[in-house]
Amino acid sequence: MAIVPKSGVVLESYQVILKPLITEKGTYLSSKRNAYTFQVNPLATKFDIKKAVEELFSVKVEKVRTQNRVGKPRRHRMKLGYTSAWKKAIVTLNDDDRIAFF
C-alpha cells in the first residue's frame, strides 16, 4: 500500500522505515516497555510510520513518538562540516506483539 505524506511524495512502507536502531537504550526499551526505535524517512508522519510498521512486521502499534535529530558539527583537518540530520521514531507496540531483530 502506498503512503502519501503531506509533501505529496508517494512512499512505500519499505521506504518509510530505513533501519532499526539497535542500541543499549533501544534494547532496554524493547524488553521493558515493548517500544522499538527506527530511523525513518524525514518526510514520513506518525501515521505513515504506524501503518508501515504494522504492514512490515504484522504487529499492532499503540503509540508513535518522533524526534528530528540535528546534525552535529564535525571537523576534518582544517574544514568544518556537519553530519546528516535524520528522523528517529520510537514505536510502542501492543502488549501481545513483539519484533525479533536477532
Side-chain angles (χ1 to χ4, degrees):
M1 176 174 118
I3 299 171
V4 181
K6 291 179 182 177
S7 65
V9 178
V10 177
L11 296 174
E12 295 290 332
S13 294
Y14 64 88
Q15 293 173 318
V16 173
I17 306 293
L18 300 179
K19 64 180 179 179
L21 297 174
I22 309 297
T23 60
E24 288 184 35
K25 188 173 183 179
T27 306
Y28 172 78
L29 286 173
S30 65
S31 63
K32 299 294 183 191
R33 305 205 191 283
N34 202 21
Y36 298 87
T37 55
F38 298 96
Q39 182 176 350
V40 297
N41 191 321
L43 299 176
T45 62
K46 289 182 179 185
F47 180 75
D48 299 337
I49 296 166
K50 178 179 179 177
K51 290 297 179 188
V53 170
E54 287 179 348
E55 184 178 327
L56 292 173
F57 297 104
S58 301
V59 294
K60 178 73 175 134
V61 174
E62 286 188 355
K63 180 171 54 171
V64 176
R65 294 176 291 162
T66 59
Q67 300 173 359
N68 286 311
R69 308 300 293 176
V70 180
K72 298 179 182 179
R74 292 288 183 244
R75 200 182 76 186
H76 180 70
R77 297 191 184 209
M78 301 300 281
K79 296 186 179 187
L80 182 64
Y82 286 87
T83 59
S84 299
W86 54 286
K87 190 169 189 177
K88 174 181 179 178
I90 302 169
V91 179
T92 305
L93 302 181
N94 191 6
D95 292 335
D96 300 335
D97 295 324
R98 297 269 184 243
I99 298 175
F101 289 127
F102 305 109

